[in-house]
């Protein structure tokens, strides 16, 4: 079953994310996913100031600068993994390096 881990961090520490977790922690986490054979992909995302939200209402395209949701945290990146259960996904998500100071949303992929 595929899961997406959405990595949220407070914007104030977004640029400091690698320093806080330690760059090696990110590399080690990626290697552990690959070694377990569950890693399908990942990327960091540019800041919310680069986001554009597109909606189509009544045939009109509405474009808004900024992220879809106004939150105190920003979406900083993601991991796409293939794991046998939600419980294993949660266990892997708890090991993401920014989990101690951010949050990880675990979402099954259809």
């Amino acid at each position: 079953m595929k899961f997406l881990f959405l990595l949220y961090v407070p914007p104030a520490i977004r640029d400091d994310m690698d320093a806080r977790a330690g760059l090696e922690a990110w590399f080690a986490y990626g290697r552990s996913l690959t070694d377990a054979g569950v890693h399908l992909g990942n990327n960091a995302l540019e800041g919310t100031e680069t986001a554009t939200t597109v909606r189509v209402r009544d045939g009109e395209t509405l474009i808004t600068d900024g992220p879809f949701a106004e939150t105190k945290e920003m979406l900083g990146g993601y991991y796409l993994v293939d794991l046998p259960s939600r419980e294993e996904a949660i266990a892997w998500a708890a090991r993401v390096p920014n989990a101690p100071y951010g949050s990880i949303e675990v979402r099954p992929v259809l």
Side-chain angles (χ1 to χ4, degrees), residues 14-47:
R14 166 63 166 87
D15 294 335
D16 196 30
M17 220 164 94
D18 292 339
R20 284 181 180 258
L23 205 50
E24 182 52 39
W26 290 101
F27 294 144
Y29 183 72
R31 280 193 306 271
S32 66
L33 289 171
T34 299
D35 291 347
V38 300
H39 186 238
L40 299 176
N42 69 282
N43 273 304
L45 299 175
E46 294 286 342

